[in-house]
Amino acid sequence: MAYKITEKCRNCGECFKVCPVGAINKETQKHEINSELCISCGSCAAVCPFGAPIEKE
Ligand code: SF4
Ligand code: SF4
């Protein structure tokens, strides 16, 4: 299981700063999560002001 970033992302960069495993790519048009690196810690969802990261089903 991993998290993904939805269309609500406004590229504020907060999630990138807190991800402990470097799973978030900020070079893409919207921030994206590499599901192979994500350990589902939930930190990105906790800091996102826009509720963009969600747990994938
Ligand atoms: S914290 Fe939220 S709005 Fe900011 S870059 Fe990450 S997903 Fe996008
Ligand atoms: S859930 Fe944790 S490991 Fe996965 S992208 Fe968000 S901050 Fe990184």
Side-chain angles (χ1 to χ4, degrees), residues 5-6 8-16 24 31 44 47-53:
I5 292 173
T6 62
K8 292 179 183 173
C9 175
R10 295 195 199 170
N11 290 324
C12 72
E14 290 303 314
C15 58
F16 178 83
I24 297 175
H31 282 54
C44 53
V47 298
C48 179
F50 307 106

Side-chain angles (χ1 to χ4, degrees), residues 1-5 15-16 18-24 32-34 37-45 47 53:
M1 205 62 72
Y3 276 64
K4 67 173 181 183
I5 292 173
C15 58
F16 178 83
V18 299
C19 180
V21 293
I24 297 175
E32 283 180 2
I33 292 171
N34 180 337
L37 295 178
C38 176
I39 56 170
S40 295
C41 70
S43 296
C44 53
V47 298

